[in-house]
Amino acid sequence: MAENNNAYWSANIRLVTICLAIWALCSYGFAILLRPMLSGIAVGGTDLGFWFAQQGSILVFLALIFFYAWRMNKLDKEFGVDEQ
C-alpha cells in the first residue's frame, strides 16, 4: 500500500513539475529571454515576444490546467484512487 502511494505521489509531482516547466518556458523564456529572437514574427499587430508576455502565457496556463485535470483523472484511475 505504501509503495502504491509513493508511486502515485511521484507521478503527481512529476506531472506538476512538467506543467510548471512548460509554463515557465512560455511566460519567462519566450516573453523575456527569447524576445529579441521572436521580435521579427508578427502576431496580431505586435511581435511574438510581446504577445507571449501579454496573452500567450495566460492561454498556455489555461491549457495546462485542462491537461493537468485530464491527466490526473487518468492517474487516479490507474492507481485506484478515482472518485466513483
Side-chain angles (χ1 to χ4, degrees):
M1 183 72 168
E3 187 176 310
N4 193 32
N5 288 341
N6 288 338
Y8 174 74
W9 283 108
S10 176
N12 185 7
I13 296 300
R14 189 176 330 111
L15 180 61
V16 169
T17 303
I18 290 169
C19 288
L20 286 175
I22 291 169
W23 189 44
L25 176 68
C26 290
S27 63
Y28 184 72
F30 290 157
I32 297 171
L33 298 176
L34 299 177
R35 183 160 185 207
M37 293 173 46
L38 300 174
S39 65
I41 304 170
V43 172
T46 188
D47 66 272
L48 186 60
F50 181 77
W51 184 84
F52 265 109
Q54 298 301 314
Q55 301 294 327
S57 62
I58 296 168
L59 295 176
V60 168
F61 181 66
L62 290 173
L64 284 173
I65 289 172
F66 288 106
F67 170 75
Y68 177 78
W70 170 74
R71 187 65 182 117
M72 278 307 297
N73 283 335
K74 286 183 72 172
L75 277 176
D76 288 349
K77 288 178 185 173
E78 181 181 327
F79 286 96
V81 294
D82 58 331
E83 296 177 3
Q84 305 265 341

